[in-house]
């Protein structure tokens, strides 16, 4: 008799562990635990995205500047990881992914989701988001996007901006520019409702930061002694190479993690990210070799970032051929912007933040509307012009234009505000002798 009861209990336990049993438990009010595989992958992806800023971007940008300004770049990247993280969990996550304002019909819901998730209010250990991952893990993953986006702008005004002015501008920019745009595209806002595709940050991250970078470069003014067409020699090419390598590695978390699951979509995003970048590097090297007679490490490293940027919005919707086309196109267009257009127009985008991130993001965002395919996005997913859906191309174009205008206008307003209060640009003496010693009291090499 005792054996029969044990057998019955065993069968009952097994039945509850099946998908149908889990569904029944959920319907009855039982908690469904997070999927351990998806959660583990998202933890790794979050680490990889953090790795992109510290040390990836810090080394990439740091190697490109002169030795006397290396520590200023590192500090500008490092402080963002602290400050933006605090702001993000205090209210940024709630502003982007909250739902209270939208549900209540509050007019503020156009710009922010609400205050219902301040300091992760109401989000417990087993509160799930997406395909069975803890919402606290999703919030942390998105935090790393909020960190790296303003960090990209650093490349435009490197070597000539006060740390205090930089910090105030970046804090205001993250609150007023990044959060609303992320809400529009990812948090259920009007661009997402319209059907805009931005898998991992083409508009929210790269177009947004790149356009802001251009505005900041123009308004801040040129570096002392800057001559268009004569780039300042990088002080450490090995840092540039290492930074590019770390960015390439970290970008797999950036793009493949944006599907929020360890599945075929993550594998596809991983593949197309790598292939677009590989093609971009090869194409850039060929152009560099033909035009300048020598292929350079700086050029190849810049090309890698270009390909990574361009494939970001498309990583969840294009196949390998689309990825290769995006990589090749972005490499040609961004090389032209960096080597020709910047020289002609004479603006001092110190480390080509606009030429690479802004233009690469624009190219990738629009071409997503060309190459998106239901082979990747699914039978009910979006498709691009090559698959017969020209409407999607129009949507991508509209979302890109909106991002450009919103970012440019608000960045200009914030620049004036910061410049009139704490000031933006350092004095000529500080710029001449270096930001490291004057702004931070340290030197990189002793």
């Amino acid at each position: 008799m005792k054996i029969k009861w044990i057998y019955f209990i065993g069968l009952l336990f097994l039945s509850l562990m099946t998908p149908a049993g889990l569904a029944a438990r959920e319907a009855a009010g039982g908690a469904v635990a997070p999927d351990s595989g998806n959660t583990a992958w998202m933890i790794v992806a979050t680490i990889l995205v953090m790795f992109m800023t510290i040390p990836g971007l810090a080394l990439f940008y740091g190697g490109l500047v002169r030795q006397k300004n290396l520590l200023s770049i590192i500090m500008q990247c490092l402080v963002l990881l602290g400050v933006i993280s605090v702001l993000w969990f205090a209210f940024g996550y709630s502003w982007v992914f909250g739902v209270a304002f939208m549900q209540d019909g509050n007019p503020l819901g156009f710009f922010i989701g609400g205050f219902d998730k301040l300091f992760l209010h109401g989000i417990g250990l087993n509160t799930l988001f997406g395909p069975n991952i803890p919402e606290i893990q999703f919030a942390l993953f998105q935090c790393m996007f909020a960190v790296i986006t303003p960090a990209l702008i650093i490349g435009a005004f490197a070597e000539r901006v006060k740390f205090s002015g930089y910090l105030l501008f970046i804090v205001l920019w993250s609150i007023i520019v990044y959060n609303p745009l992320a809400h529009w595209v990812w948090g259920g806002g009007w661009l997402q409702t319209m059907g805009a595709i931005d898998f991992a940050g083409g508009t929210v991250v790269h177009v947004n930061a790149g356009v802001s970078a251009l505005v900041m470069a123009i308004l801040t003014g040129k570096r002392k002694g800057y001559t268009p067409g004569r780039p300042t020699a990088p002080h450490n090419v090995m840092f540039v190479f290492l930074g590019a390598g770390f960015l390439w590695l970290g970008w797999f978390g950036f793009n493949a993690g944006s599907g929020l699951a360890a599945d075929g979509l993550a594998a596809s995003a991983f593949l197309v990210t790598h292939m677009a970048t590989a093609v971009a590097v090869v194409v850039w090297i060929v152009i560099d070799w033909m035009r300048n007679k020598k292929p350079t490490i700086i050029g190849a490293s810049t090309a890698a970032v270009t390909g990574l940027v361009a494939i970001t919005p498309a990583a969840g919707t294009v196949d390998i051929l689309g990825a290769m086309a995006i990589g090749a196109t972005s490499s040609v267009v961004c090389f032209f912007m960096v080597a020709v257009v910047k020289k002609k127009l004479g603006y001092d985008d110190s480390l080509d933040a606009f030429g690479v991130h802004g233009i690469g993001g624009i190219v990738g965002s629009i071409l997503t509307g060309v190459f998106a395919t239901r082979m990747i996005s699914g039978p009910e997913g979006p498709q691009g012009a090559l698959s017969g859906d020209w409407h999607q191309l129009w949507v991508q174009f509209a979302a890109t234009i909106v991002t450009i205008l919103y970012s440019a206008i608000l960045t200009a307003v914030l620049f004036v505000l910061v410049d009139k209060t704490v000031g933006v640009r350092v004095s000529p003496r500080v710029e001449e002798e270096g930001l490291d010693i004057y702004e931070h009291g340290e030197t990189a090499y002793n």
Side-chain angles (χ1 to χ4, degrees):
M1 190 70 175
K2 187 181 295 184
I3 294 176
K4 288 183 178 180
W5 273 108
I6 293 173
Y7 180 74
F8 174 76
I9 292 170
L11 287 177
L12 179 62
F13 175 80
L14 289 175
S15 68
L16 290 174
M17 291 302 103
T18 63
L22 289 171
R25 287 170 59 207
E26 185 174 13
V32 178
D35 181 273
S36 59
N38 290 343
T39 303
W41 161 236
M42 290 309 300
I43 291 172
V44 172
T46 302
I47 293 170
L48 289 173
V49 181
M50 176 179 167
F51 194 68
M52 291 170 67
T53 305
I54 303 293
L57 192 67
L59 284 174
F60 184 74
Y61 278 172
L64 287 170
V65 299
R66 287 167 287 189
Q67 176 180 321
K68 62 185 179 181
N69 297 314
L70 168 60
L71 297 184
S72 70
I73 294 293
I74 292 176
M75 178 59 89
Q76 287 170 7
C77 289
L78 182 59
V79 73
L80 285 179
L81 195 58
V83 172
I84 301 303
S85 295
V86 172
L87 296 175
W88 180 253
F89 287 106
F91 59 86
Y93 179 72
S94 186
W95 282 23
V96 177
F97 294 101
V99 296
F101 284 176
M102 292 188 293
Q103 290 178 346
D104 296 342
N106 190 315
L108 286 176
F110 180 79
F111 290 100
I112 60 176
F115 297 125
D116 49 311
K117 296 184 179 182
L118 298 180
F119 294 98
L120 301 188
H121 174 73
I123 300 175
L125 295 180
N126 289 321
T127 304
L128 302 183
F129 189 96
N132 294 338
I133 64 170
E135 187 167 358
I136 55 175
Q137 179 57 51
F138 173 75
L140 188 56
F141 179 65
Q142 285 295 328
C143 174
M144 298 309 160
F145 283 69
V147 168
I148 196 171
T149 304
L152 300 175
I153 305 174
I154 295 169
F157 51 63
E159 303 193 297
R160 58 195 189 274
V161 169
K162 287 182 181 180
F163 184 69
S164 57
Y166 157 81
L167 193 55
L168 178 58
F169 169 79
I170 286 297
V171 166
L172 294 175
W173 188 91
S174 296
I175 295 171
I176 297 172
V177 180
Y178 179 82
N179 287 345
L181 191 58
H183 171 66
W184 291 347
V185 177
W186 291 334
W190 68 280
L191 287 177
Q192 187 175 35
T193 303
M194 190 173 71
I197 304 172
D198 190 353
F199 187 69
T203 51
V204 177
V205 177
H206 297 291
V207 177
N208 189 14
V211 170
S212 295
L214 177 63
V215 173
M216 286 294 291
I218 294 171
L219 296 180
T220 304
K222 301 174 185 177
R223 286 167 291 177
K224 186 177 180 180
Y226 172 75
T227 302
R230 293 185 181 179
T232 303
H235 95 277
N236 194 319
V237 176
M238 278 302 299
F239 280 5
V240 178
F241 162 72
L242 287 172
F246 291 157
L247 285 168
W248 196 331
L249 172 65
W251 226 287
F252 293 135
F254 200 78
N255 286 359
S258 290
L260 307 182
D263 57 10
L265 180 59
S268 176
F270 197 125
L271 172 64
V272 297
T273 298
H274 181 67
M275 287 309 301
T277 308
V279 170
V281 170
V282 172
V283 170
W284 192 294
I285 287 175
V286 170
I287 299 172
D288 203 10
W289 208 338
M290 293 174 62
R291 189 173 187 269
N292 301 317
K293 308 305 179 186
K294 292 181 177 67
T296 63
I297 295 296
I298 298 295
S301 299
T302 303
V305 178
T306 296
L308 291 165
V309 167
I311 193 60
T312 293
T317 54
V318 302
D319 59 14
I320 189 170
L321 292 178
M324 294 173 75
I326 290 173
T329 304
S330 65
S331 194
V332 172
V333 174
C334 290
F335 186 98
F336 180 74
M337 288 297 301
V338 169
V340 179
V341 173
K342 186 172 79 166
K343 178 181 177 181
K344 293 288 186 184
L345 297 181
Y347 61 88
D348 185 10
D349 178 6
S350 308
L351 311 179
D352 295 313
F354 173 69
V356 172
H357 293 279
I359 297 301
I362 291 170
V363 170
S365 180
I366 292 174
L367 290 185
T368 299
V370 175
F371 294 107
T373 172
R374 285 181 176 165
M375 283 185 59
I376 305 300
S377 64
E380 302 298 324
Q383 57 184 349
L386 285 182
S387 299
D389 187 356
W390 287 88
H391 174 72
Q392 187 63 53
L393 179 58
W394 178 88
V395 170
Q396 295 303 116
F397 183 78
T400 303
I401 294 298
V402 167
T403 302
I404 291 171
L405 294 175
Y406 185 77
S407 181
I409 294 170
L410 268 294
T411 298
V413 171
L414 292 177
F415 176 90
V416 173
L417 176 63
V418 174
D419 197 38
K420 295 296 183 182
T421 52
V422 301
V424 172
R425 184 146 187 170
V426 297
S427 68
R429 180 180 178 183
V430 173
E431 185 176 347
E432 178 68 28
E433 298 188 25
L435 276 63
D436 289 359
I437 193 67
Y438 277 93
E439 291 281 306
H440 307 293
E442 298 172 305
T443 56
Y445 306 104
N446 295 304

